[in-house]
Amino acid sequence: WQQTKRLNTIVYSTLELGRLRAAAQLDKFPVDMVLVAEEAVAELILRAEAEDIGLDFHFTPPIPLVLGNPDKLKQLLINVLDNALKYSQPDGLVTVSLAAITEGVQCQVVDIGEGIPAQHLPRLTQQFYRVRRDVPGSGLGLAIVEEIVRQHNGRLTITSSTEPPTGTAVTFTLPYLPDPMSDPE
């Protein structure tokens, strides 16, 4: 049963990544990232509680709107949160934060897990790349995250430390919703 479930996950994720890459452009709308983050956290809060991992969300208002696909942005956050929870220990903490910075809306997911050795960081978003084989996963989650960020003209960075304090931070920044009153010429 476990193997069948794993294969289904790999097939679904591979198809999803292929669809994302094949899409000329995602349908985009004004998106409130606070609502997207709240929905993603709400979807995983029971799992976090069951695994005795704290899951916090905070933001510093105001958080301006971004132009994006709310479903894909929620999927992006769920993928990142899933990894953070997967690699956290009981009594751990995963924090989601939003902030308005010069470049756009910055979302950061930070865990206090064991961290990722530096030599793996450049390859984390490669399709099927996995640091640990003893933790369930398809090796496609961060490839999907990177593609969604790219399709939103955003920027993705992943930092990690295996030395105390340990942990990983996945940060993505999305450009603000263009001002309709500004003259493009």
Side-chain angles (χ1 to χ4, degrees):
W1 164 248
Q2 280 299 96
Q3 189 64 11
T4 302
K5 185 177 174 184
R6 183 176 173 278
L7 287 173
N8 280 340
T9 301
I10 289 172
V11 169
Y12 172 80
S13 297
T14 303
L15 290 172
E16 177 62 21
L17 183 58
R19 279 191 294 269
L20 278 169
R21 288 182 174 162
Q25 188 171 339
L26 295 174
D27 290 334
K28 296 180 183 170
F29 314 93
V31 176
D32 181 342
M33 284 303 295
V34 173
L35 294 177
V36 171
E38 286 174 341
E39 288 177 10
V41 168
E43 200 160 307
L44 292 171
I45 192 74
L46 292 178
R47 174 179 157 199
E49 288 173 359
E51 296 175 11
D52 199 25
I53 299 168
L55 181 53
D56 291 341
F57 170 55
H58 59 87
F59 63 96
T60 306
I63 302 294
L65 299 177
V66 299
L67 184 63
N69 183 293
D71 294 333
K72 296 303 176 192
L73 292 171
K74 181 179 168 186
Q75 178 185 8
L76 180 165
L77 264 172
I78 287 173
N79 281 4
V80 173
L81 284 168
D82 177 65
N83 275 352
L85 292 171
K86 203 181 302 184
Y87 292 99
S88 291
Q89 301 298 318
D91 293 323
L93 176 65
V94 175
T95 304
V96 180
S97 61
L98 291 174
I101 62 171
T102 304
E103 297 84 13
V105 174
Q106 181 181 72
C107 180
Q108 187 171 61
V109 177
V110 178
D111 68 58
I112 57 171
E114 65 187 41
I116 302 165
Q119 70 268 23
H120 295 287
L121 291 174
R123 299 184 61 200
L124 289 178
T125 58
Q126 290 178 0
Q127 194 170 339
F128 299 115
Y129 188 79
R130 299 186 56 213
V131 176
R132 292 179 50 186
R133 301 282 178 195
D134 62 322
V135 176
S138 64
L140 291 165
L142 288 175
I144 291 170
V145 164
E146 181 180 56
E147 183 61 24
I148 294 171
V149 170
R150 186 192 70 73
Q151 292 226 357
H152 284 84
N153 300 314
R155 187 180 74 243
L156 173 70
T157 57
I158 303 171
T159 58
S160 192
S161 175
T162 56
E163 300 297 323
T166 62
T168 301
V170 176
T171 307
F172 62 92
T173 305
L174 304 172
Y176 294 123
L177 181 68
D179 182 355
M181 300 307 288
S182 67
D183 187 2
E185 295 176 33

